[in-house]
Amino acid sequence: MVETTASDLGTVGGTDVYAGTVWDTPPDPPDPFDEADVLEFGFQIYAPQGEAAAHVAALDRVIAPVLGGTGRWQILDPALASENAVRFHQEHPSPRQQPGQQLWDVFVGVRGVGDAMVLGEEVFHAVERAGMLLGQMSQILYNNGYQEAAFEKYQELADFPNG
């Protein structure tokens, strides 16, 4: 976003730039989840081979205060990102990636009660405030019959009460 009084904004990367005074997209609707569901956050981080686990531990410390009010969570060991993700990041390099770093996927499963949209925003802002450099963050809510796949992935969460 740019603040300007100019009306002829031209193009950026071949795409026309438009002016507007108010963002007219409504907020995301609530997306409630309960103890029967698993909310998954996916993070892509840049780290050298031997330091990925330390980055995951730092991520856990940053998100623990946010997730602690919701329920339980499990962070899976980091895994090298898929070839497609690596290729995308090679085609669209990030200034966050330093020489010697690789792209890693880190997944966090959460069980508890809350609103997936609100919790996602809180997690994102906690990571951002901590100055952690991420390639991206995603989230998926496993509910309506998809929980079993999540429980296979997050086995520590499968024994949650009512689960």
Side-chain angles (χ1 to χ4, degrees):
M1 296 186 84
V2 175
E3 184 175 343
T4 181
T5 57
S7 59
D8 181 17
L9 301 175
T11 62
V12 173
T15 302
D16 291 329
V17 177
Y18 298 98
T21 57
V22 176
W23 191 259
D24 60 358
T25 303
D28 292 324
D31 194 4
F33 65 97
D34 61 34
E35 293 176 352
D37 306 322
V38 176
L39 177 58
E40 177 182 75
F41 294 106
F43 299 92
Q44 288 188 328
I45 63 170
Y46 298 108
Q49 178 80 25
E51 296 179 19
H55 283 261
V56 171
L59 177 65
D60 186 34
R61 286 190 299 274
V62 167
I63 64 176
V66 177
L67 299 180
T70 299
R72 292 191 326 164
W73 66 97
Q74 177 184 354
I75 298 181
L76 301 180
D77 291 335
L80 285 173
S82 71
E83 289 182 29
N84 287 339
V86 170
R87 188 176 316 110
F88 176 84
H89 283 269
Q90 287 171 341
E91 293 171 3
H92 307 281
S94 170
R96 297 175 178 192
Q97 186 173 12
Q98 302 299 313
Q101 293 181 329
Q102 295 174 294
L103 186 63
W104 298 84
D105 286 325
V106 179
F107 294 100
V108 180
V110 180
R111 287 197 70 188
V113 176
D115 183 308
M117 300 310 290
V118 171
L119 187 59
E121 289 286 324
E122 291 174 356
V123 167
F124 176 82
H125 290 300
V127 170
E128 184 180 53
R129 279 191 307 274
M132 298 190 78
L133 302 178
L134 300 175
Q136 73 176 39
M137 179 184 134
S138 61
Q139 71 184 52
I140 298 171
L141 181 58
Y142 291 93
N143 60 6
N144 299 326
Y146 293 96
Q147 296 96 325
E148 287 305 315
F151 296 148
E152 288 178 26
K153 190 173 183 178
Y154 299 100
Q155 294 180 2
E156 293 176 18
L157 298 179
D159 64 347
F160 195 83
N162 302 323

